[in-house]
Amino acid sequence: MSFALLAPWALVLLALVILFGAVKIVPQGREFTVERFGRYTRTLKPGISFLTPFIETIGRRVNMMEQVLDVPQQEVITKDNAVVKVDGIVFIQVMDAANAAYRVDNLNYAIAQLCMTNLRTVVGSMELDEVLSQRDQINSRLLSTIDHATNPWGVKATRIEIKDLTPPPDITNAMARQMKAERERRAVITEADGEKQSQIARAEGAKQSAILQAEGRKEAAFRDAEAREREAEAEAKATAFVSEAIARGDVNAINYFIAQKYVEAFALLASSPQQKTVIVPADFAGLTGSIAGIGQLVKSLTAPETPRPAAPTATPRTPRS
């Protein structure tokens, strides 16, 4: 009686066990391998899948998303015998779940060790200055090597980055001194270039100033020469007029020359810086007569000529001084 009551419940329980064992749901970003009696048969993609109860089982659950692995820090000797501490990170993605599951044991550990050995190889073939300045080249060489090595495992290395490069303290101090010296050298060169440009600018300014001053003196000399030429022309015309007057027997012309020289001499006498007392000549009143004679001469020159009878020859008079 009790067996008859337990049999249906046993059948229901068995059905549930078979159902849960046969139906598998694979989440996105994962793939499951299926084994039949311990042997790999197929791979389950994301979604719902069915297995043969008691015959097929889930072997490995493989992460198909991109993963980041740390490369442990290690000391590496460079080509010029400098010791540096290097570490990094590597980005990988499983492309074939079966190869990643069954071709290598402990995939992440294997990739980390592979990165460490190749990192020593690449950095050891370069000098310290190249290691510090050519990180991109190191990353490219490591990526090519690691990607080729992990291809049989069904893994693709997408990126490899050097995270830290630490030289010894003495080399760091030497590099700091070198950088300081280089900065000071550049500052001195820049200052010298600035001084050079300043001197060139000053010389160019002095040159332009000298050129402008020379042009000014040239123009002034030209103007002075032109003024003297016009003054000479005026003097020549005045002399010609006076000569004509003398030829006509006009005494005022002679008085004109005497008065002109008299005035010029008296002006020099009065303007002398060494002269403290000016002596006026006793016949200074005669200067007035000479000036009057000049006026008569100008009137005679400007007035139109009228014919006049010939005058008898007379003895020339001595002009008053």
Side-chain angles (χ1 to χ4, degrees):
M1 185 70 179
S2 60
F3 179 76
L5 292 175
L6 293 176
W9 293 104
L11 293 175
V12 172
L13 182 60
L14 181 60
L16 291 175
V17 172
I18 294 173
L19 180 62
F20 281 108
V23 178
K24 295 297 181 183
I25 298 177
V26 181
Q28 184 66 36
R30 307 279 177 171
E31 289 187 2
F32 295 169
T33 61
V34 178
E35 298 177 355
R36 180 176 296 175
F37 300 114
R39 180 182 179 183
Y40 167 76
T41 57
R42 57 195 175 96
T43 301
L44 299 182
K45 303 297 182 181
I48 187 170
S49 302
F50 299 94
L51 303 179
T52 303
F54 307 110
I55 297 177
E56 293 180 337
T57 58
I58 298 298
R60 302 288 180 86
R61 291 172 170 83
V62 182
N63 185 358
M64 304 300 293
M65 295 181 290
E66 189 171 3
Q67 304 174 56
V68 182
L69 303 180
D70 285 328
V71 179
Q73 189 179 66
Q74 58 180 332
E75 291 185 350
V76 180
I77 300 177
T78 61
K79 186 177 180 180
D80 52 352
N81 297 324
V83 179
V84 293
K85 294 181 179 180
V86 187
D87 61 356
I89 53 176
V90 55
F91 296 81
I92 63 170
Q93 185 175 13
V94 177
M95 308 303 294
D96 191 333
N99 290 337
Y102 299 108
R103 283 185 173 269
V104 61
D105 187 20
N106 198 345
L107 178 64
N108 293 346
Y109 177 78
I111 294 176
Q113 294 300 313
L114 184 63
C115 291
M116 290 180 65
T117 56
N118 283 277
L119 186 59
R120 284 197 297 268
T121 302
V122 173
V123 175
S125 64
M126 303 173 66
E127 296 183 355
L128 179 60
D129 291 339
E130 296 176 347
V131 172
L132 296 176
S133 62
Q134 299 181 7
R135 289 196 179 190
D136 292 339
Q137 183 178 354
I138 297 174
N139 296 336
S140 299
R141 293 176 60 181
L142 285 174
L143 179 61
S144 176
T145 304
I146 299 302
D147 187 46
H148 179 73
T150 58
N151 187 47
W153 301 342
V155 177
K156 180 174 180 57
T158 57
R159 291 190 303 276
I160 296 179
E161 299 290 341
I162 299 298
K163 189 164 59 175
D164 192 15
L165 278 171
T166 306
D170 54 345
I171 295 180
T172 304
N173 295 333
M175 292 170 59
R177 291 194 301 271
Q178 181 182 3
M179 181 183 66
K180 182 179 178 180
E182 181 66 19
R183 297 291 183 183
E184 292 178 353
R185 184 184 68 85
R186 292 181 182 179
V188 171
I189 292 176
T190 303
E191 184 178 358
D193 289 340
E195 184 66 22
K196 175 182 177 182
Q197 295 298 327
S198 176
Q199 292 179 359
I200 291 175
R202 287 197 294 267
E204 187 67 23
K207 174 184 176 182
Q208 294 296 329
S209 177
I211 292 174
L212 293 177
Q213 290 179 3
E215 290 180 352
R217 290 194 300 270
K218 176 182 177 182
E219 184 67 18
F222 177 77
R223 298 295 183 183
D224 291 341
E226 186 177 3
R228 288 194 299 270
E229 182 180 357
R230 292 184 179 181
E231 183 179 358
E233 290 178 357
E235 184 69 20
K237 289 181 180 180
T239 304
F241 285 144
V242 173
S243 299
E244 292 178 1
I246 294 175
R248 292 195 303 268
D250 194 347
V251 182
N252 292 326
I254 300 175
N255 291 335
Y256 165 75
F257 275 108
I258 294 175
Q260 183 182 15
K261 298 299 182 181
Y262 193 92
V263 171
E264 290 177 356
F266 189 74
L268 292 175
L269 180 63
S271 63
S272 175
Q274 303 296 330
Q275 186 69 27
K276 298 187 179 191
T277 303
V278 178
I279 302 174
V280 179
D283 58 346
F284 187 75
L287 180 62
T288 306
S290 299
I291 295 174
I294 293 171
Q296 292 296 328
L297 175 62
V298 173
K299 289 181 180 180
S300 64
L301 291 175
T302 56
E305 295 185 359
T306 55
R308 58 181 178 178
T313 305
T315 303
R317 293 177 296 176
T318 303
R320 295 174 57 190
S321 59

